[in-house]
Amino acid sequence: MICKTFQKISYLLLAAFFATGCCRSSCEVWDDTKTCARHMNNGLNSLFGKQGKGSRQVCRKDDFYSNQYPSYGGHYPEYAEFTPLEQDPQDQYLAAAEKFTPQAKEAPGDFGSSIPGIEAFEDPSYDATLSAIFQPIYFDYDSSLIRGGENLKKARKIAQYLSSHPNTYIFVEGHCDERGPQAYNFALGARRANSMRTLLIKEGADPDQIFTISYGKEKPLVDGHDESAWKKNRRAQFKIYVR
Amino acid sequence: MNSYTLFYKWMFFLLIPLFIYSSEKDIVVTINTKNQRIPIEISPLNLKKGSISEEYLQQIRDVFVFDMSYSGVVKIDPQSPFYIFKLSVEDNKLSLEVTSTGDHSEKRYEAIELSQDLSIDRRKIHLLSDTLLQDLFGVQGIASTKILFALKKGKVSEIYESDYDGHNMRKITSENTLCVTPKYIPGTKNFLYVSYRNGIPKIYYASLDGQQKGKRLISLRGNQLLPGISKDGTKLAFISDITGNPDLFLIPLMPAIGKPYQIYASRLATQGSPSFSPDGQKVAFVSDKDGTPRVYAMMIPKPGAAIKGIKTTLVSKFHRGSTAPAWSPDGTKIAYSAKKNGVRQIFIYDLYTRKSRQLTDGPGHKENPTWAKNSLHLIYNTANPNSNELFLLNLNQKETVKISQGEGLKRYPCWR
C-alpha cells in the first residue's frame, strides 16, 4: 500500500516537474506565475461578464456620475483640463486596488502659481529635525509598492508633519536603479513618486501640499553596480519648501 | 493494475510532450543575408587635376564607402561586382561614373563642387549616395537624413542633432538641465522634447535652429513624459500622471492644439513609450499590467470612451521586459527592446507573419530603437553604466556600426 502511494506521488511530482520545465530561472518562473494569475483572474472575470479592471457595465447614469470615489473618475472640475476615460466608480476593484489621487491643484513654478518652482525647494538634510522626518523610502526591484513596517512608519511621520505644518510643501522624487530600461524607468519613477504621495494622503496629508517628479534612473544616489548600491537608488526622496 | 495506477501512468506519459514544449525555446529566425545585397566595387578616388590633398580625397571616399556599405542595398565585393563605381576629381569637382559589369553600360553623375570643408562636402556626398541608390535600385536612401538624440555629460543632458552617420553633430538646446526623448515634428522645422527646466518634467517644442528657448506645449499638471508623435504630425501621445498614475494620453496638434484625453489607464500598472502606427489609428505602448513590462498595441479610443471597450493586443509575446516600441513607417513591423539571457537586445515583431526576430546580440544592453523612413534601417543606443553609444543597423545586414562620437552618454535617438 505504502509502495503504491509512493508510486503515485512520484508520478505526480514528475508530472509537475516536466510541466513547469527546468530551463527557466526562479525569477522567470515567479514572473510567469504572476502573469498567469492575472490572466486567470481576467478569464474568470470574463466568465462573469467583467472584462478586466474598471469594466463593469454602467447600469445607471448615477453610477457614472457618482461621487463615492471623489479621487478618481466621474465628472469633476479638476478634470476640466483633460477628458478622462469612462470608468465605473462602482468597480469593486477600486476598493481593493490602490486609489490614486490626482495631482495638486497648483503647479509649482507655473504662471499664476503661488508656489515657486523646484529651485526654491531644498534638500531636508540642511536641518537635523527635517532630515530625521523626511527619510527616503526604498522599493523592491521593478516595483512601486511601499512595503515594510519601517517604510510605513516613515510615511506616517512625514504625513503628520505635513498635517501640522500646512505651509510646508514637498516634492516627492521617484528614482530607479541602473538596471531597468531607460525610457520605462521614467514611468516607473513617476509611479513610485505617486505611490508615495498616495500613501501620505492616506495617512492624512493634504494632497495640495505634495507634488511629484520622476527622474527615472538619471540621478542615482550611489555610484555602484551591486545590490548595495541599487537598493539605495530605488527610492522616493523629498525636497521641501516652507512658505 | 488498478485504475488509479493506470491513470497516473497515463498522466506521466501524456505530460512528457508538455515538458518538451514547455521549456523556454526562443524562436530563432535565421536571416539569409548573403544574397540580399548587390555586390559592387568602389575604385580608389582618381585625382585627375587639382590641388586637393590625398588625405582629403580619402576622407571623401570614406564617406561614400560608408554610405554604400551600410545602405542595406549593396555590399562591397571587388571579386565579383555587378557595378563598378569610379570616383574622380578634376578642378575641385567630384564626378561619379557607374559601370555595369553585365551589359557594360555606363552612367555618369553630375559633378559636385567640393568646398574642401568636410562638414559641407559630406552632405554633398550623402546626397549623391541617395541619388545613386534611387537611380540604380529604386530604393530610398538614408544618407541625407538626420537624427536627434540626447547627450548627457555629468548631470546635464541636452538635445543634439547630427547626420545619420553621427557626423556634423550640433547642440540644439542649452537649458543646463535634463533634456531627454526628443522627437521631430513631421513637416516642420521644430521638435519636441522633455525638459526638467522648471523641476517637473514637461513637454516642450522648439525650433531646430536652436535660436529660441523651447515653449511648453501642454498645460497639464504633473509629470509629462515619453512623447510619441504621429507620422503626419497631427497627434501626440505621452505619459502623464495627472490622475495620480502614469497613464497614456493623447493630444491633437492640428489643425490646432486640442484638449488632451486619456487613452489608456490601468490602475495597478505603469504605462510608457507610446508609438503610433503610420496611419495614426493605433498606438503601441509599454505596460506592466500583466506582471512584467511588455509591448501592447491598441486602436486609439475616442475621447471619453469606456475603458471596458479598450482591447489591447500583446505584441512581445515571447520576451520579458519589453520596452521602447517603435512602429515602422511602412506599418509592417514594431521594433522594441527586450531581455534575452539577461541582456536587452533589439527585436522586431512582424505584424503580418506574427513572428519576432532578434536583430542584435552580444553583451551590453541595447534600447530605444528608431526607424528610418525606409523601414529598413534602425538606430538604437547601448545602455551600459558608463557607456551609451548610438549604433546603426539594417535588416539586410547582421553587422551593426557605431555612429556616435565624442564623450557623453548618447540616448533616445529619433530619426527624421
Side-chain angles (χ1 to χ4, degrees), chain A residues 147-193:
Chain A
R147 305 200 314 184
E150 204 178 311
N151 279 333
L152 291 175
K153 269 190 212 166
K154 289 179 193 174
R156 212 157 275 149
K157 258 188 180 173
I158 295 169
Q160 282 166 0
Y161 183 89
L162 289 174
S163 297
S164 55
H165 295 79
N167 283 342
T168 298
Y169 299 85
I170 63 169
F171 264 110
V172 182
E173 299 177 354
H175 296 266
C176 305
D177 72 37
E178 64 176 1
R179 291 175 293 168
Q182 291 166 339
Y184 172 75
N185 272 353
F186 279 118
L188 179 59
R191 194 167 157 87
R192 283 177 173 163

Side-chain angles (χ1 to χ4, degrees), chain A residues 108-159:
Chain A
D110 271 11
F111 180 76
S113 172
S114 65
I115 302 163
I118 191 148
E119 64 281 354
F121 286 69
E122 291 180 291
D123 191 318
S125 59
Y126 73 87
D127 180 282
T129 309
L130 290 175
S131 183
I133 294 168
F134 290 94
Q135 294 182 50
I137 304 285
Y138 299 102
F139 297 88
D140 292 340
Y141 179 66
D142 199 20
S143 172
S144 57
L145 290 176
I146 297 170
R147 305 200 314 184
E150 204 178 311
N151 279 333
L152 291 175
K153 269 190 212 166
K154 289 179 193 174
R156 212 157 275 149
K157 258 188 180 173
I158 295 169

Side-chain angles (χ1 to χ4, degrees), chain B residues 9 11 36 56 73 111-112 191 196 226 235 268 270 294 298 302 328 330 342 355 365 404:
Chain B
K9 279 187 179 161
M11 277 266 291
Q36 288 184 338
Y56 190 76
V73 179
I112 300 168
F191 70 104
Y196 283 71
L226 305 169
K235 288 179 269 215
L268 296 178
T270 304
R294 300 219 190 217
M298 67 173 189
K302 293 203 173 359
S328 65
D330 64 3
K355 284 191 177 140
H365 297 305
S404 51

Side-chain angles (χ1 to χ4, degrees), chain B residues 4 7 22 53 96 117 144 161 163 180 196 227 297 319 335 349 369:
Chain B
Y4 284 118
F7 171 72
S22 72
S53 68
L96 172 67
D117 178 342
S144 303
E161 189 183 43
D163 294 348
V180 291
Y196 283 71
H319 306 108
Y349 177 77

Side-chain angles (χ1 to χ4, degrees), chain B residues 313-387:
Chain B
T313 304
L314 178 62
V315 169
S316 55
K317 297 181 182 55
F318 308 107
H319 306 108
R320 291 179 187 78
S322 309
T323 61
W327 214 307
S328 65
D330 64 3
T332 61
K333 302 172 279 288
I334 296 176
Y336 59 95
S337 172
K339 258 193 181 171
K340 185 179 170 189
N341 300 327
V343 179
R344 277 190 285 283
Q345 305 289 356
I346 303 296
F347 293 81
I348 52 169
Y349 177 77
D350 190 310
L351 291 157
Y352 291 132
T353 64
R354 296 188 188 183
K355 284 191 177 140
S356 195
R357 175 173 137 191
Q358 185 175 341
L359 298 182
T360 61
D361 58 23
H365 297 305
K366 295 115 185 145
E367 298 177 19
N368 306 319
T370 179
W371 288 97
K373 274 188 184 165
N374 63 7
S375 298
L376 176 64
H377 289 80
L378 285 158
I379 287 175
Y380 62 89
N381 68 263
T382 54
N384 304 307
N386 297 315
S387 165

